[in-house]
Amino acid sequence: MNTMGLLEKIRDYSSLKDLSPDEMEILAGELREMITSVVLKNGGHLASSLGTVELVLSLLRSFDPSRDKILFDVGHQAYAYKILTGRMDRFDTLRQWGGISGFPKRRESEYDHFDAGHSSTSLSAALGYAKARDIMGNKHHVVAVIGDASLLNGLAFEALNYTRESNTRVIYVLNDNTMSISPRVGGFATHLARLSSSSGYNWLKKAIKDSCASLPRGQALENVLGKLKDHIKTIVKPLNIFDEMDINYWGPFDGHNASELEYVFELAKRYDRPVLIHVVTVKGRGYEEAEKNPTAFHGVSPRSASTGPAPAGKTWSEAASDAVLEMAEKDDRIVCLTAAMKCGSKLDEFASRFPDRFFDVGISESHMVTMAAGMAAGGLRPVVFIYSTFLQRAMDQLVHDVCMQNLPVIFAVDRAGLVGEDGETHQGLFDIAWSRPVPNLCVTAPRDEGTLRELFETGLQSDSPMMIRFPRGRVPESVKTSGPLSGGTPGNCLSPEVVAAGEDWVLFGYGRTVDLMLRAREHARESAFLPLPTVVDLKCLKPLPVGELREMLTTHSFAIVAEDGYAEGGAGEAIAAFAESIRGEAPADVAVLGIPDIFVPQGKVCEQDEYCGLTPGNVVKIYAEHQKRAHRQAAPLEGAR
């Protein structure tokens, strides 16, 4: 990372007020240079943070984050804030194992006042902070910075609706760049566009004030004309939903004009009621490629800076969208839904091929799931493409609106399991534990592209809901098997399969952990002292295939289940309970290897695997320790004989 002249001298926000406008412009350029160089190396959210540099500078010149509470919605626009609040020397560790997070995190800094990662939480949190301030008799300011796409979510609307009732001082900053990851959608997006293009009212108000101030008794005239404000609004200013909700709306303002923003913030600090300040910014500002294609540069992979060839093979997202597209060609009942993740879920081709059967609802996961339920009830076959971490925001709808009515909705759950550098807020570790108890829901996990297609085919022919979960990353090569277990049904893709035959111990995997178990088998082979285990791909995690499980548990002395999620509440726990229920006929003990009771920090997936013990060496170690215990227990019996 290059040494930055002015940035190196400033070091943090405390010296910003001493800068001239020209120095502020220089500093903004240096911040963008640092952000770009680190993100292209480490990966991260580039376009969002480039677009908010002047906004962050203005906030830090107007407010003191050691006292005032500045909250960032989602948080992927806060890199400049991190640099200027004591983390410049560590910024090159962004999103790395042991480094700083790509999102605001209270444990990381006293200046991060609320953890973020999912959208639309900032307004509610700000109201909570403001009421805490009022009740405790403090005087500091509370500011929430929220993007235009995040404002479209139901949670944000609930906060807006309650703002008047809260009867408190709070400042909302609406950062309007007309984007989420993809262009925003919906009627409210149109409303914001109309507001952001309306400068007539602000121009007229300023012209009246300037003219009156220059006349004798100008202030008195200005006061008289001020009473005509509502009439002026109806003539010049478009209908404003914020004013209608009794939240004073100011704007729009140029989000790259630091001086203008500071002036507005100073006024807002003196205001005794809730105010929403509408600022317009350019996503990717200062980096030409990101400005031209902000969607592509929203989330940047570390390989974007590499000159080497791209990794071979499809991603799981591509394989899933390709499979559904192919099936949709033959069945016009199939529709796809996504919540602002068209590009991330690789649905561009489906949207282009079937525009009337593709639905991007914006950041509205709960609405999307219930809408899919209505579609299924109406005779369609909806496929909901959603990241595991975002499915958490719609679990009530999955239970109440889909599964309780036993409607044929397929959930294509992307980014299941450990996801890497996005860290704690984006790990897909809860979906199995939360979904397994839900009646009517079939929970599955493919090991390769072939089984992925089979599961989609089965789900689209079923009259019940199905979850198909798959990880982030590239699809592995096809894994050949010996076919279904003897208790399974030939041709049934939900039946578990023996991937590799062995003896004495059996390794159960599903999805990504099938490969882990195969590598553990090779690790055992290399030891030369251990028998080779049987490796089984479960595929269906709910309902559990008890017949096939009984066969494996009664023909092996020990079983290990590797979870791609939390060990507590997962498939392994259910298998262990089943083994205990047939203890009289099943000699096998069951060990569960999964994510421990922690929030897993950011880093490479291989580092997270190592941290959680999801390694071939640990699998073999668990079996070796079991063997030692068995020998110790058998020794007294041998001596007695």
Side-chain angles (χ1 to χ4, degrees):
M1 189 166 57
N2 295 329
T3 300
M4 304 294 182
L6 188 56
L7 185 54
E8 282 292 324
K9 295 176 183 177
I10 294 300
R11 303 298 298 173
D12 62 38
Y13 75 94
S14 61
S15 303
L16 291 178
K17 290 185 178 180
D18 299 330
L19 299 183
S20 68
D22 288 342
E23 288 174 320
M24 284 281 287
E25 188 174 343
I26 293 170
L27 181 61
E30 292 181 357
L31 283 165
R32 287 192 168 95
E33 184 179 340
M34 175 179 279
I35 291 169
T36 301
S37 65
V38 169
V39 173
L40 290 181
K41 177 172 66 75
N42 294 5
H45 294 95
L46 181 59
S48 302
S49 279
L50 292 180
T52 57
V53 169
E54 288 86 1
L55 175 57
V56 166
L57 286 170
S58 302
L59 286 167
L60 290 175
R61 277 166 63 101
S62 300
F63 301 94
D64 181 353
S66 67
R67 181 185 67 251
D68 300 321
K69 312 303 180 184
I70 303 174
L71 314 181
F72 289 92
D73 205 274
V74 184
H76 55 219
Q77 75 280 55
Y79 291 174
Y81 182 84
K82 284 179 176 281
I83 293 169
L84 293 170
T85 51
R87 286 162 279 185
M88 182 167 64
D89 290 340
R90 299 186 64 214
F91 190 65
D92 61 349
T93 70
L94 180 75
R95 292 163 47 91
Q96 303 298 292
W97 186 261
I100 64 173
S101 171
F103 299 96
K105 190 169 296 297
R106 296 176 70 208
R107 291 199 312 270
E108 181 181 292
S109 171
E110 64 177 308
Y111 303 114
D112 288 358
H113 300 293
F114 203 78
D115 288 11
H118 287 185
S119 80
S120 313
T121 63
S122 62
L123 305 189
S124 298
L127 285 175
Y129 256 121
K131 293 308 295 183
R133 173 200 61 203
D134 298 346
I135 292 171
M136 297 179 73
N138 296 320
K139 301 296 182 183
H140 58 264
H141 300 287
V142 179
V143 184
V145 181
I146 186 168
D148 51 292
S150 294
L151 196 66
L152 310 185
N153 181 271
L155 179 60
F157 265 91
E158 291 174 22
L160 288 174
N161 182 61
Y162 187 71
T163 298
R164 179 178 65 179
E165 302 303 320
S166 70
N167 191 32
T168 189
R169 292 183 300 111
V170 67
I171 300 170
Y172 299 151
V173 179
L174 171 57
N175 174 37
D176 183 358
N177 57 30
T178 74
M179 299 283 291
S180 54
I181 296 175
S182 302
R184 65 190 181 203
V185 297
F188 195 71
T190 304
H191 180 72
L192 289 181
R194 189 162 59 245
L195 290 180
S196 63
S197 63
S198 174
S199 58
Y201 173 65
N202 293 310
W203 175 86
L204 179 59
K205 190 165 62 173
K206 184 177 185 301
I208 291 174
K209 184 174 181 179
D210 290 347
S211 298
C212 292
S214 64
L215 295 173
R217 300 178 60 200
Q219 187 63 46
L221 287 171
E222 182 186 339
N223 291 338
V224 172
L225 289 172
K227 296 178 181 179
L228 300 177
K229 181 178 71 171
D230 291 338
H231 298 291
I232 296 172
K233 279 186 180 180
T234 59
I235 297 171
V236 181
K237 191 178 183 181
L239 178 66
N240 188 311
I241 189 173
F242 306 109
D243 283 335
E244 294 296 319
M245 298 175 80
D246 209 21
I247 302 170
N248 212 48
Y249 169 87
W250 298 357
F253 301 102
D254 181 358
H256 300 294
N257 186 330
S259 298
E260 181 173 273
L261 291 177
E262 289 169 43
Y263 177 72
V264 174
F265 290 151
E266 289 302 319
L267 292 177
K269 286 161 66 174
R270 304 173 197 168
Y271 202 63
D272 61 357
R273 296 180 56 231
V275 59
L276 184 141
I277 301 170
H278 185 180
V279 304
V280 179
T281 61
V282 176
K283 200 170 184 179
R285 175 86 167 198
Y287 186 57
E288 186 176 357
E289 291 181 73
E291 286 191 41
K292 289 180 178 178
N293 193 355
T295 298
F297 284 87
H298 171 80
V300 178
S301 168
R303 67 175 179 268
S304 298
S306 172
T307 57
K314 292 180 179 179
T315 64
W316 280 102
S317 304
E318 290 167 338
S321 62
D322 286 351
V324 174
L325 176 61
E326 182 179 312
M327 295 169 199
E329 296 276 2
K330 304 170 185 175
D331 187 345
D332 58 11
R333 298 175 302 162
I334 296 175
V335 296
C336 284
L337 300 92
T338 183
M341 298 304 296
K342 180 177 77 169
C343 297
S345 295
K346 307 302 180 187
L347 292 169
D348 301 79
E349 181 64 24
F350 190 101
S352 175
R353 177 70 181 83
F354 301 112
D356 295 334
R357 291 157 59 187
F358 172 77
F359 305 90
D360 184 347
V361 302
I363 304 177
S364 307
E365 294 89 356
S366 300
H367 156 67
M368 173 177 63
V369 172
T370 301
M371 180 177 171
M375 289 175 160
L380 296 177
R381 293 287 174 163
V383 182
V384 172
F385 282 81
I386 187 168
Y387 289 8
S388 174
T389 185
F390 299 139
L391 180 60
Q392 296 166 194
R393 299 161 68 89
M395 286 300 294
D396 180 61
Q397 288 69 36
L398 181 147
V399 172
H400 186 274
D401 300 331
V402 175
C403 296
M404 194 176 294
Q405 301 184 79
N406 199 26
L407 292 169
V409 177
I410 289 185
F411 293 88
V413 181
D414 201 343
R415 269 68 163 179
L418 295 166
V419 299
E421 291 83 357
D422 279 338
E424 296 168 324
T425 57
H426 282 60
Q427 310 285 16
L429 303 175
F430 292 102
D431 55 85
I432 294 175
W434 282 1
S435 61
R436 283 200 67 261
V438 181
N440 296 327
L441 180 63
C442 179
V443 183
T444 67
R447 66 176 178 269
D448 54 26
E449 187 171 7
T451 51
L452 177 72
R453 285 178 172 269
E454 289 175 353
L455 291 172
F456 271 116
E457 288 172 354
T458 299
L460 287 167
Q461 293 169 9
S462 172
D463 291 324
S464 296
M466 176 184 280
M467 177 187 293
I468 303 173
R469 70 187 305 272
F470 45 90
R472 183 182 187 184
R474 305 253 159 205
V475 182
E477 294 183 5
S478 296
V479 179
K480 294 183 179 180
T481 71
S482 304
L485 278 66
S486 59
T489 304
N492 180 6
C493 80
L494 298 180
S495 294
E497 295 181 288
V498 175
V499 180
E503 58 178 337
D504 193 54
W505 55 312
V506 56
L507 306 179
F508 292 105
Y510 57 83
R512 193 173 75 91
T513 63
V514 172
D515 178 67
L516 168 63
M517 293 316 211
L518 286 171
R519 288 186 288 122
R521 175 183 164 90
E522 291 307 305
H523 197 82
R525 185 195 303 276
E526 293 167 4
S527 74
F529 298 105
L530 299 175
L532 291 181
T534 298
V535 177
V536 174
D537 176 13
L538 282 170
K539 288 197 295 186
C540 186
L541 313 181
K542 192 224 179 233
L544 279 177
V546 293
E548 295 91 323
L549 285 174
R550 185 187 300 270
E551 175 189 344
M552 287 290 104
L553 294 172
T554 55
T555 56
H556 295 78
S557 70
F558 191 62
I560 302 176
V561 185
E563 295 275 9
D564 193 24
Y566 283 110
E568 188 171 346
E573 191 176 86
I575 291 172
F578 175 70
E580 192 61 33
S581 73
I582 59 170
R583 177 54 55 196
E585 58 182 288
D589 292 322
V590 178
V592 180
L593 180 59
I595 308 301
D597 189 20
I598 59 172
F599 288 104
V600 182
Q602 79 275 354
K604 294 180 174 59
V605 172
C606 61
E607 294 169 323
Q608 294 168 339
D609 281 339
E610 186 77 29
Y611 184 65
C612 296
L614 290 169
T615 64
N618 198 34
V619 173
V620 172
K621 178 183 176 183
I622 290 171
Y623 175 68
E625 290 176 347
H626 165 76
Q627 291 291 82
K628 290 179 183 178
R629 287 195 301 271
H631 288 313
R632 284 197 299 268
Q633 292 169 358
L637 296 176
E638 290 293 331
R641 286 197 292 269

